[in-house]
Every structure is written in structure tokens, then in C-alpha cells.
Amino acid sequence: MSGSDSHKGSLEEVSYEGAAGAELSSCALAMLERERESIHSPSESPGASTILPSTALVQGYDVEFDPPLERKYECPICLMALRNAIQTPCGHRFCKSCIEKSIRDTGQRCPVDNEMLLEDQLFPDNFAKREILSLTVRCPNAGCTDKMELRHLENHLAQCPFATMPCPQCQQSVRKIYLEEHKTIECRRRPMSCPDCVASFVYEEKELHEQQCPFATIMCQYCELVLIRDQMDSHCDTDCPKAPIACTFSTFGCKERMQRHNLAQHMQEFTQMHMRYMAEFVRCLSLNGTTPKSLWALGPSLSSEDQGAASASCRGIASCGPCQPSEEMQRIRDMDGRLVKQDHQLRELIILEDTRGAFDGHLSWPFQGTIRLAILDQGPDAQHHMEVMETKPDLQAFKKPTIQRNPKGFGYVTFLHLHQLSQRAFVKDDTLLIRCEVTPRFDMFQREGPTVQPRGPEASRD
């Protein structure tokens, strides 16, 4: 039994034409006219019938009768309840479509007793039709327990809360009352839009799109910085401090790889080795492809691995054959550029090292004194915003630095709210002036480092 077949559950059939091309007698025409008039009984709703094309084959009613259907109302051909019951001169009942098709396809014989049977000998059995339409049936929709006369089934199906229909997006069978909710919330083919790039796709493609969306936010696998996907390659290639990179002198033989923020330290520590690599490289160029001497002569500071790397680099140059003068000059210019870059990196490293203080060993620790911070009012009134704080020697922030950057700090969470900048002339010509005054205090008790007494009436300011 199925309630999804569009032909099943239809209570009537409008077309009652005879055999194709056959001439009907006046008696047969009158019988067919009476059949058309009796299609809708007084108790039936005309709007409940389904209008079908004359060529459609509609078999019996495939529904569940309660109580079960009697054999006398069962079509011998389709074995379902008679639809538009037709009776033969030999006393057998069939569905109208079933017997007409049987006569046309298998010959003009009754399927039950094989008696001669012509289409113009068929006549409607209106009594059986009304009896069948009055029988009680169950709603075919799963979950529905309603019962009604067969003639009312189609009206019930149109309103049944358990009725189903295929989703137009995914073709899944869904109850009508939940169809809109399914299409917008549950359907795997529901349309979606990416919040990042505004691209359109269906829900089942969401994961694939998220893996490819150029504007999706992702985390750097090295430094865990969150960026959009389109920026990630550039970030890893040029900016990420923890991305693994090769040494600047890798083409000359250095095989070291390190995180980008460790490159400057590596360049400083292995400057001599890099220079030896470059010297051997230049020597190979001057020999125009001749085999270089053993790198053992360069000194014991080179490990066997470093020497092998440099030798391999030179052999690669030698295998290229004699170099043209223009090529040699270009390579020399490239090497000169690398040296300049290395020099800049070393200078940067030196600057970073100076953040610890070149004279920390000559100062008194822990630091004691007064710190004054001020945002200057550039107007005629000069009403500066100033805060004064005293150092606290017991805090780690004021003790002698032991690492490049002290993880402990001391200061204000909020120094000045932004909206206060416009209340006075703190900003003038798009410039903000900030002044910091540090007044050390030299106590006589024992501190780390040499004891220094102030000279002059005023403490020095840094």
C-alpha cells in the first residue's frame, strides 16, 4: 500500500471513452452518459476528484480497508478494490481501465472465463461503485490513525498533518507541515552564503568551502597568529617569527634551518664559517670549474659536515662548466648583497642585545627613585596631564635584568582616556607630545653593584 502514488487515492476517473476507433451503439453511449452523471454522488465533493488524462491507466484503490475488502469488490486483474466498476455480460466485475486494457492487449475475451467480450458490451456497475466508496479505509500516511469513507480519503489526504511530499531541494520525503522548516534548517541541499566571502553554496558543500575560502580566518601553524587564508602564505614566507627558514648562506653550503627570529643569532655565531663558505665559492668561480682544494685547509673551525656541504656547493658550480664573465659578475654582486644583508641583521641583533643595557653592570640595583609621565598640553595654558609613581625595589620589574626582555612590568592600566585628548590641546598638528622624567634615589644601604653617591644638589634625570 502506498499513499505517495499520485494516481492512487483518486476516487473517480473522468474519461469513459470506448475502444480506440470503435463505433459505439446508441445504447452504449447512453450508458456512458449515465456513468458520467453518476461519477459524483450527492455525498461526494466534486472538488475531491483528480482530473486525469484519458490515456492514463488508473488501477484499483490501493488502500487499507477496515474491515478488510470483500472478494466481490476486488478486481481480478489488479487485485485491488474496484475503481469505476465495470460489469461484463458474463457477470464479472473489473476496474474500467483494467478490463479495457486487457481487451485491447490480450484479445476480446473475459479474463475470468474466456468468454467472447467486446468493449461495447461493458457497462458501469454504479451500485458496486457506490458500495465501494462507502467502505471505511485507513489513512495511508505513517503516524495517522484516522479512518473515513473511501469517498472522503482524497480530501483527508490534502489536509492530513502526516501527509508527506518530496523536498524540492533534496527529494527526501518530508511531512508537508514540516516542509518549510526542513528546506531552511535541515535539508542537506539548502542554500547557504559564506559570511566571509559571500559565496553561495549548498549545506553539504559547506565543509569543502570552509577549507578553500580565501577570506576565512585560520591560525598560523607556527606562531598561532589568526589571519585570513589569503594572507597566510605571505605571513609564513616573510613575517612569521617562528616559521622554519634556511640560513641566508644555504646556497654557499650552510645547511642550518631555524625559526626566523633565531636567524640573526645564527648569523652572528657562524659569521666566520659563512665567510669561509663564500671564500671557497669565490675561489671556485675564479678557477672556472676546476676542482677546489680540500676544505680541511680552511681551518679546524669547520666540521666535516660543513666542509662536505661547501664541497658539494663548489662541485655544483664546477659541473656547470666555465662561467661567462657576465655571470661571474652577477654572482659576485649577489654575494655582495648577501653580505650587506648579513651586516644589517647583525646590527639589528646588536640593537636587540643593547635593550638589556650595555652599562647594567655599572648601575645600582634594584632601581629606586621617582618616575613622572606626562602628556603635554600644547595650548597656552599648558595644563599637562601628569602622573607620578615611586619605584618599588622589591618588585621584579625594578631588579637587575638577567634576560633580553623582562617579563614583569609596572605602570598604569589606564593613563588617560582617549576622549580626554580632545578636551585640551593635547594633540596639535596631528602630534602628541609625551615626556618621561626619571629621578633616581641613591640610598646608603647595600645594593647590587657599586655604591654611587649623587654629585650636585639635584639628582640626575634620564
Side-chain angles (χ1 to χ4, degrees):
M1 181 181 71
S2 172
S4 61
D5 193 334
S6 61
H7 296 328
K8 295 172 184 176
S10 178
L11 304 186
E12 320 293 351
E13 181 181 7
V14 174
S15 176
Y16 283 84
E17 297 176 3
E23 296 183 2
L24 300 179
S25 64
S26 59
C27 179
L29 289 173
M31 292 173 63
L32 290 176
E33 185 63 30
R34 286 197 301 272
E35 173 74 356
R36 292 190 183 97
E37 293 175 356
S38 65
I39 287 178
H40 298 293
S41 63
S43 62
E44 295 172 359
S45 171
S49 63
T50 301
I51 305 301
L52 299 174
S54 60
T55 57
L57 175 61
V58 182
Q59 294 180 321
Y61 297 108
D62 186 12
V63 292
E64 181 181 359
F65 289 87
D66 188 10
L69 183 68
E70 299 181 43
R71 293 291 299 273
K72 65 180 180 180
Y73 294 133
E74 186 179 280
C75 174
I77 297 176
C78 67
L79 303 180
M80 292 184 285
L82 293 166
R83 184 191 295 269
N84 298 324
I86 292 293
Q87 193 167 2
T88 65
C90 53
H92 300 110
R93 292 192 183 99
F94 301 92
C95 296
K96 180 180 184 298
S97 296
C98 292
I99 188 60
E100 289 179 348
K101 185 175 186 302
S102 176
I103 292 175
R104 295 169 186 169
D105 294 348
T106 63
Q108 298 176 338
R109 298 280 182 178
C110 174
V112 177
D113 57 15
N114 206 32
E115 291 289 330
M116 180 65 67
L117 179 63
L118 303 177
E119 282 197 43
D120 57 8
Q121 294 178 305
L122 303 174
F123 59 92
D125 191 336
N126 291 330
F127 175 78
K129 174 184 175 181
R130 285 192 293 270
E131 288 290 311
I132 293 171
L133 292 177
S134 299
L135 297 176
T136 303
V137 297
R138 292 179 178 272
C139 175
N141 293 325
C144 183
T145 59
D146 289 356
K147 299 179 183 180
M148 71 289 299
E149 290 184 355
L150 178 59
R151 61 169 48 87
H152 300 311
L153 177 61
E154 193 163 355
N155 278 339
H156 168 79
L157 292 177
Q159 304 172 0
C160 178
F162 296 92
T164 61
M165 66 178 299
C167 169
Q169 297 170 168
C170 67
Q171 305 306 313
Q172 179 182 343
S173 182
V174 184
R175 290 183 183 178
K176 290 182 180 179
I177 58 174
Y178 299 135
L179 182 59
E180 289 304 317
E181 178 182 356
H182 168 80
K183 290 196 298 184
T184 57
I185 300 178
E186 300 175 351
C187 180
R188 66 179 187 276
R189 298 288 301 174
R190 62 183 183 272
M192 301 191 71
S193 178
C194 176
D196 298 318
C197 67
V198 200
S200 298
F201 50 90
V202 295
Y203 176 77
E204 64 182 2
E205 299 173 356
K206 178 182 178 182
E207 184 176 353
L208 176 61
H209 175 78
E210 290 176 347
Q211 296 173 356
Q212 301 175 347
C213 178
F215 296 104
T217 55
I218 58 175
M219 180 181 293
C220 175
Q221 60 179 317
Y222 305 115
C223 67
E224 298 184 353
L225 181 67
V226 176
L227 298 168
I228 65 173
R229 179 173 279 110
D230 260 7
Q231 297 175 338
M232 190 56 66
D233 289 344
S234 175
H235 166 74
C236 293
D237 291 342
T238 60
D239 301 326
C240 180
K242 295 186 178 181
I245 60 172
C247 172
T248 308
F249 288 83
S250 60
T251 56
F252 302 113
C254 184
K255 300 299 182 182
E256 293 292 329
R257 291 185 63 85
M258 67 223 69
Q259 293 181 340
R260 179 174 279 109
H261 67 90
N262 292 329
L263 176 62
Q265 181 178 357
H266 169 77
M267 298 288 282
Q268 184 183 32
E269 293 177 354
F270 295 93
T271 301
Q272 185 179 9
M273 183 185 73
H274 293 158
M275 294 301 100
R276 292 174 184 272
Y277 283 155
M278 291 195 64
E280 182 65 16
F281 184 87
V282 174
R283 190 177 70 83
C284 291
L285 290 178
S286 65
L287 296 176
N288 288 328
T290 59
T291 303
K293 296 181 179 179
S294 173
L295 292 179
W296 287 108
L298 295 179
S301 61
L302 284 179
S303 66
S304 59
E305 181 180 354
D306 295 332
Q307 296 171 18
S311 297
S313 176
C314 291
R315 285 196 297 271
I317 299 169
S319 63
C320 295
C323 299
Q324 299 298 326
S326 59
E327 295 178 358
E328 293 182 9
M329 292 301 299
Q330 181 61 42
R331 294 189 180 186
I332 292 175
R333 283 194 293 268
D334 291 343
M335 287 188 291
D336 183 64
R338 291 178 183 271
L339 287 172
V340 172
K341 183 177 180 180
Q342 185 191 34
D343 182 65
H344 288 170
Q345 291 171 336
L346 291 175
R347 290 176 183 273
E348 291 175 359
L349 182 61
I350 292 173
I351 292 173
L352 290 175
E353 289 295 331
D354 282 347
T355 59
R356 196 181 301 173
F359 302 99
D360 286 350
H362 303 284
L363 300 177
S364 298
W365 300 99
F367 174 76
Q368 298 182 77
T370 303
I371 300 174
R372 294 179 176 85
L373 294 177
I375 296 181
L376 304 186
D377 181 0
Q378 304 178 56
D381 297 334
Q383 299 181 14
H384 308 318
H385 178 81
M386 180 180 294
E387 296 286 351
V388 180
M389 60 182 178
E390 293 292 330
T391 61
K392 298 183 178 182
D394 294 337
L395 297 182
Q396 183 68 32
F398 298 103
K399 294 184 179 180
K400 182 178 181 180
T402 58
I403 57 177
Q404 180 174 326
R405 180 175 180 178
N406 196 337
K408 301 294 184 180
F410 183 80
Y412 297 96
V413 176
T414 302
F415 184 71
L416 179 67
H417 288 284
L418 292 177
H419 67 84
Q420 293 179 270
L421 291 177
S422 59
Q423 294 178 359
R424 295 200 295 272
F426 289 124
V427 180
K428 184 177 181 181
D429 297 330
D430 202 26
T431 303
L432 180 71
L433 299 180
I434 300 176
R435 183 174 64 195
C436 176
E437 297 180 358
V438 180
T439 305
R441 181 174 67 254
F442 298 94
D443 291 344
M444 298 305 296
F445 62 83
Q446 184 65 32
R447 298 183 300 270
E448 299 178 25
T451 302
V452 179
Q453 298 294 337
R455 292 183 299 176
E458 296 184 357
S460 62
R461 291 183 177 182
D462 187 5

